[in-house]
Amino acid sequence: MIFKFEILYIYFIRLKMPYKDPEKRKQYQKQYQKKNKDKLIQYRQSFVFIKSKRISDWKSRGVVCDDFDALYDHYTKTAYCDFCRCELSIHKERSANTKCLDHDHTITDRPNFRNILCHRCNVLRK
Ligand SMILES: [Zn+2]
């Protein structure tokens, strides 16, 4: 998770980076981070960032979908596990009730989303 976050963060920096020379780039990055510390913190806490981080995480796990916006909307609005109906947790630390996006791992060329499940049901299904 931290690793992926770093990639997004570097990508965000690169969008604003004019240097090709690695040393100059490093310097520029450092200065940029210092100068825009508050802005970067704000960005990382923003809805746009949290949503894009979540969706890129799904994509990297093999979730295929025609409309990730709609899927994200459904995901955020779902409060109970589709199978056991337990209340889902969205805390960072994983528990049996952690909300999971269940998809069919055998399908890679078409939409493969199945359910929103708790971690316990998601593990049992695989
Ligand atoms: Zn469940």
Side-chain angles (χ1 to χ4, degrees):
M1 217 49 172
I2 290 161
F3 178 63
K4 259 187 211 123
F5 174 77
E6 288 300 320
I7 290 174
L8 278 170
Y9 179 67
I10 289 164
Y11 187 69
F12 176 68
I13 298 292
R14 272 196 190 147
L15 290 174
K16 302 195 171 232
M17 198 172 51
Y19 300 110
K20 279 188 179 170
D21 175 37
E23 267 313 304
K24 277 187 180 176
R25 194 188 307 155
K26 227 180 192 176
Q27 260 185 342
Y28 177 84
Q29 270 181 322
K30 265 191 186 169
Q31 278 177 347
Y32 184 87
Q33 286 170 26
K34 236 184 199 174
K35 219 171 92 185
N36 297 282
K37 201 178 167 193
D38 293 339
K39 213 160 92 181
L40 288 168
I41 289 170
Q42 241 179 4
Y43 174 66
R44 276 183 239 130
Q45 290 168 345
S46 71
F47 173 77
V48 175
F49 179 76
I50 291 166
K51 182 179 170 180
S52 71
K53 188 164 151 275
R54 172 71 67 189
I55 290 173
S56 76
D57 185 54
W58 288 340
K59 285 178 183 172
S60 74
R61 286 165 194 259
V63 176
V64 181
C65 182
D66 292 331
D67 188 350
F68 273 103
D69 285 326
L71 184 61
Y72 186 79
D73 199 45
H74 176 59
Y75 176 82
T76 52
K77 283 177 183 162
T78 304
Y80 298 94
C81 174
D82 286 346
F83 282 0
C84 72
R85 307 306 301 164
C86 74
E87 193 171 348
L88 295 166
S89 152
I90 51 164
H91 296 299
K92 267 190 173 176
E93 276 166 44
R94 185 173 281 182
S95 71
N97 289 30
T98 298
K99 194 189 278 192
C100 299
L101 190 87
D102 174 42
H103 71 285
D104 189 333
H105 293 243
T106 61
I107 300 168
T108 55
D109 57 344
R110 59 196 155 88
N112 58 10
F113 163 72
R114 288 191 300 208
N115 292 98
I116 309 270
L117 301 175
C118 70
H119 181 61
R120 184 179 34 232
C121 290
N122 194 30
V123 168
L124 285 174
R125 191 175 197 182
K126 274 172 194 167

